[in-house]
Amino acid sequence: MPADTADNADKTEGAGSAAEADTGDGTVDGPHTVLVTGAGGSGRTTVAAATACAAAGLGHRVLLVSPEPAARLAALLGHEAPERAGSVDEPGVPRAVPGIPGLWLLRVDAGQEFRTRAVQLQERGKAALDLLGAVPLDEDELTQLPGTAGPALLHALRTAHRGGTGYADGAGSAHGAEAPDGFDGVDIVVADLPPLPDGLNLLVLPEQTRRWLTRLVPPERQTARSLRPVLAQLAGAPMPAQWLYETTTRWSGELAGTERVLGAPRTVVRLVTEPGPLAAEELRTALAGARLHGLRLESVIVNRLVPAGSADSWLAGLSGRQQETLARLREECAALDVPLCELPHLGRDPRGADDLTALARAARSAAAHGVEPGPPPRTGRVYAAADDVPQGWVEDRLAEDGLLVWHLPLPGAVREELQLVRRGEVLTVGVGPYRRVLPLPAALRRCRVSGAGLTDGTLRVRFTPDPQLWPRTDGTGS
């Protein structure tokens, strides 16, 4: 983490402990969180480790959360991967990193997390499985499904904020482990996320999953619990068991906790890229996706820059191509007001605290805080009745054109990549591989989509009031 970032954590926010993360009232007052993602092969894990190492060097208590194999992390952090139980390579348990005071490592084992959750789900649904004559699967029969690594990482991140370990939070523990001696909370959590686009899409998974759960298992159905036997006779089929509602409620609570962590003011995103021929285009789309998801961008890290002015013709040519790409990346970041930091190529694979600290020191020009999606310029009249807008703002053009216009800032987006679908009370917006379902403000639910356009980095969706739903008294939009 840049020096000014770490210093500011103490000066403006206080050290804070992980045990204070979830206050129970919907707010998060826990450690600073840096989420590191980027293009595949760009050095995301190296940048995440460098960020954590630099912050620990400044005296902060830091937890690095990563799903990488133990041998890979051991080589990066500069020590041999120990084989004994309880060592730094044990997944799901924070372990102090040898030789780097203040740095703890939490390695996520997605396979173990999946197996444990699957067995617990079978146990809770035992009555339904018995009714079907099903034979439950043993834990050693289960193999990890594709796509389960991301949720396991989010689970570890949430429980780290609550002062626990990746699998010991009281809601289903793979290891049943308690925090080890000496681990009493952290000031900064650094998470090594999957590559783009999965890394950014993972951060809106809790929001999307909660919406799916609400649709599939509506909470209001639980109020009919006393009528369930009667309804079962009328329907001729068994009604959903109470365990289903209890499981859904528990999952929804866990997802809400993860949402609070990801949406907290102290949570920022670092994007990592290499100065290759496709870097500028990939970065532009990623920046648009981050804005769509409402994420706070701390900086863009351009990794593995070779030195200019080499006498070697091959290195000189490579450096020249990198500098051309770097110029385009600077333009993209300047246009979106996102800090850009340049990391040198060390001429070798980084290994150990010295290499990681050298890389982090080169990135200390990064902003002290994430760049929040600021309010876009508003040239029209705000529709005062639309006070429940999840993102952007609603312009009142009822008197002039009979329209309400929803302004969604998507800097970096291009028309060819946009997707827009209205379905019921939600609007689905897509930018390339990034997609988000936005609930319509109450006023716009009574309207029909009459058009849309992308100008100056803002998507403007036009809504025409539906005469059958729009109250006449609201005709002035006041």
Side-chain angles (χ1 to χ4, degrees), residues 271 273 278-288 300 329 332-333:
L271 293 179
T273 186
L278 301 178
E281 188 68 14
E282 291 176 348
L283 178 62
R284 178 193 58 75
T285 305
L287 291 174
V300 171
L329 295 175
E332 292 281 355
C333 291

Side-chain angles (χ1 to χ4, degrees), residues 33 41 45 68 91 108 204 209 213 235 303-304 350 385 427 431 455 464 466:
T33 305
T45 301
E68 289 292 313
V108 179
V204 294
T209 306
L213 288 175
N303 196 21
R304 299 181 184 134
L427 185 72
V431 180
T455 54
T464 303
D466 188 332

Side-chain angles (χ1 to χ4, degrees), residues 18 61-66 73 77 79 84-98 102-109 155-169 173 175-186 188-190:
R61 300 170 299 171
V62 185
L63 179 66
L64 173 62
V65 182
S66 177
L73 292 172
L77 295 171
H79 59 82
R84 60 185 176 83
S87 62
V88 76
D89 82 320
E90 183 178 349
V93 180
R95 295 297 176 187
V97 176
L103 178 60
W104 295 74
L105 173 66
L106 175 62
R107 191 168 69 81
V108 179
D109 187 341
H155 175 70
L157 183 63
R158 177 178 65 85
T159 52
H161 270 254
R162 295 177 58 188
T165 70
Y167 301 110
D169 66 344
S173 170
H175 295 275
E178 299 295 336
D181 293 340
F183 183 81
D184 58 350
V186 294
I188 299 169
V189 176
V190 181

Side-chain angles (χ1 to χ4, degrees), residues 20-266:
E20 300 170 337
D22 193 342
T23 63
D25 60 357
T27 62
V28 174
D29 185 23
H32 288 258
T33 305
V34 183
L35 308 171
V36 182
T37 184
S42 61
R44 306 177 322 280
T45 301
T46 298
V47 171
T51 301
C53 186
L58 291 170
H60 295 279
R61 300 170 299 171
V62 185
L63 179 66
L64 173 62
V65 182
S66 177
E68 289 292 313
R72 159 80 170 121
L73 292 172
L76 180 61
L77 295 171
H79 59 82
E80 295 299 324
E83 298 179 356
R84 60 185 176 83
S87 62
V88 76
D89 82 320
E90 183 178 349
V93 180
R95 295 297 176 187
V97 176
I100 309 180
L103 178 60
W104 295 74
L105 173 66
L106 175 62
R107 191 168 69 81
V108 179
D109 187 341
Q112 183 62 60
E113 169 77 358
F114 171 77
R115 290 188 291 273
T116 299
R117 294 285 178 143
V119 169
Q120 291 173 347
L121 185 61
Q122 286 185 140
E123 293 174 351
R124 294 190 178 100
K126 185 177 184 302
L129 293 175
D130 290 344
L131 183 65
L132 297 172
V135 178
L137 297 170
D138 293 330
E139 182 174 343
D140 56 10
E141 294 183 84
L142 297 167
T143 57
Q144 180 185 349
L145 295 177
T148 57
L153 182 60
L154 290 180
H155 175 70
L157 183 63
R158 177 178 65 85
T159 52
H161 270 254
R162 295 177 58 188
T165 70
Y167 301 110
D169 66 344
S173 170
H175 295 275
E178 299 295 336
D181 293 340
F183 183 81
D184 58 350
V186 294
D187 308 320
I188 299 169
V189 176
V190 181
D192 175 20
L193 298 184
L196 295 172
D198 294 344
L200 291 182
N201 286 331
L202 176 65
L203 301 181
V204 294
L205 181 62
E207 173 187 279
Q208 294 173 341
T209 306
R210 287 187 73 202
R211 184 178 66 85
W212 297 337
L213 288 175
T214 302
R215 285 280 299 275
L216 295 173
V217 189
E220 57 271 17
R221 294 288 181 87
Q222 299 186 54
T223 60
R225 190 167 41 180
S226 60
L227 299 176
R228 198 166 295 141
V230 177
L231 295 175
Q233 291 181 357
L234 294 175
M239 299 298 291
Q242 183 61 23
W243 72 267
L244 176 61
Y245 293 110
E246 293 173 351
T247 300
T248 301
T249 300
R250 185 178 65 258
W251 284 350
S252 183
E254 292 180 9
L255 292 167
T258 305
E259 278 190 73
R260 290 195 294 271
V261 170
L262 298 177
R266 300 186 185 196

